[in-house]
Amino acid sequence: MQSLARVVRRLYSTKPPQPPLQKAATALPRHAAAAREASAPLAVRERRARKHPDLLPPPDSDLTPSEYSSYRRRLAKGELMDDHGKDMSEAEWLDALNEKRSRLRGVKLVEKGGQKQMEVVGQKVYLPNVIFRMVRNHTPNGQPYNPYEATFRVPQSITKTDVRSYLASVYGVKTTYIRTANYISPLRRTRMGMRPVGRHRTYKRAVVGLVDPFYYPLDMEDMDKVAKKERVAWLEEKFALKALVRWRRYELVRATQSGSKGWRLTGHMRRDKILQAVARRRMITRQEIEGIKTEIAEKRAAGKQVLTERVRS
């Protein structure tokens, strides 16, 4: 019995020779995979750190620890065996998994007239009215910006599948992972109990992993004078921000002065600035009148005709 137990222990402690790993065709690039591992939640990293090294994938494997555990589990159950009794390799299983992940949601294959066609499941959505607001990634001080990650603020009704389908169908962006979190606006005490301060401050954040890097533009404060001047000129040319501010003031004054007649917007809101603008316009008008008077006096002194009749064609 002791010899049999020794043989069993020896059998389980000895690892059989492993074939060389094959690279999956749909595997992520090296930098995208490293960024995906670095952005894993803290709880996931702690759980992986407590695992035995034999349960983790090899260093040159394309599988994540979760994918490697799933692959080993299904391989032990015999679910990855083909008709010829051969098990799928890691690369083949990862290609099949990525094909399933990247499939087009909301459609199914139906057979009509002996031909397979794609049929939309549910109702088609034309010109969706959802707003995806892209914001800068949260980067702690002293750490580099992660270009393989993008952050969006989306409505709370949007799911991860909606985010993946929207980015893939509208912009052709390939995603590796999507993590969402709901942010609720702070509460305040009212007569009716605790109520949120403002519903507009409640949103859902979606952190999306990217296959191709995307570098967010620099802040205005981080630019030099030349680049900042060029950015301001580009924004003014494309979006006319100064005109928007001017018309916003115009609408504000128009709404507050709706009962008055004959008022004109000076472009200012302070009383002293308004008086200065009115005085400046009066001075310009006075100068124009004085110039016309001088011109008429010179024509009369020279014996020229002051007013000329327009010739009608």
Side-chain angles (χ1 to χ4, degrees), residues 99-284:
E99 183 180 359
K100 181 180 178 181
R101 288 172 176 173
S102 60
R103 70 185 186 278
L104 186 61
R105 269 78 169 180
V107 296
K108 65 178 181 179
L109 284 175
V110 294
E111 188 172 354
K112 293 183 179 180
Q115 296 181 356
K116 293 185 178 181
Q117 299 179 2
M118 302 289 290
E119 182 178 349
V120 177
V121 180
Q123 182 180 2
K124 293 183 179 181
V125 178
Y126 298 96
L127 301 177
N129 57 351
V130 294
I131 298 177
F132 279 63
R133 179 185 176 189
M134 188 174 186
V135 297
R136 192 180 300 274
N137 297 337
H138 172 69
T139 306
N141 295 331
Q143 296 187 9
Y145 189 84
N146 187 6
Y148 291 92
E149 192 174 82
T151 305
F152 298 91
R153 288 191 179 185
V154 298
Q156 290 186 297
S157 60
I158 297 298
T159 61
K160 295 181 181 180
T161 304
D162 297 335
V163 174
R164 183 182 295 107
S165 301
Y166 183 84
L167 296 178
S169 59
V170 177
Y171 300 102
V173 176
K174 299 179 180 179
T175 58
T176 57
Y177 61 88
I178 298 176
R179 301 188 181 100
T180 58
N182 286 302
Y183 289 83
I184 310 300
S185 61
L187 304 178
R188 67 177 180 180
R189 190 178 299 279
T190 61
R191 295 180 180 179
M192 304 300 294
M194 301 298 292
R195 300 294 181 183
V197 176
R199 291 189 176 182
H200 62 280
R201 301 179 63 179
T202 300
Y203 62 92
K204 176 184 284 188
R205 188 188 70 169
V207 180
V208 181
L210 305 176
V211 177
D212 301 323
F214 173 78
Y215 294 91
Y216 203 91
L218 293 175
D219 286 335
M220 301 285 287
E221 295 79 6
D222 300 335
M223 297 181 178
D224 53 2
K225 293 184 178 180
V226 178
K228 185 176 181 180
K229 187 177 180 180
E230 293 178 356
R231 175 66 63 81
V232 170
W234 183 83
L235 291 175
E236 183 64 26
E237 178 184 359
K238 298 296 183 180
F239 302 101
L241 299 181
K242 295 181 180 179
L244 291 177
V245 172
R246 184 168 60 253
W247 279 105
R248 190 179 296 115
R249 291 179 177 179
Y250 175 83
E251 291 296 330
L252 178 60
V253 175
R254 186 182 63 83
T256 55
Q257 302 289 338
S258 58
S260 61
K261 297 181 179 179
W263 66 275
R264 298 178 62 185
L265 179 66
T266 58
H268 304 283
M269 302 301 298
R270 291 173 45 180
R271 183 177 178 81
D272 55 345
K273 298 295 184 180
I274 294 176
L275 295 178
Q276 291 178 5
V278 172
R280 192 181 305 110
R281 290 183 178 179
R282 289 180 179 178
M283 183 182 63
I284 294 174

Side-chain angles (χ1 to χ4, degrees), residues 37-51:
E37 294 298 325
S39 63
L42 180 60
V44 176
R45 294 199 298 267
E46 291 179 351
R47 185 170 63 250
R48 291 176 179 176
R50 292 193 298 266
K51 282 188 175 182

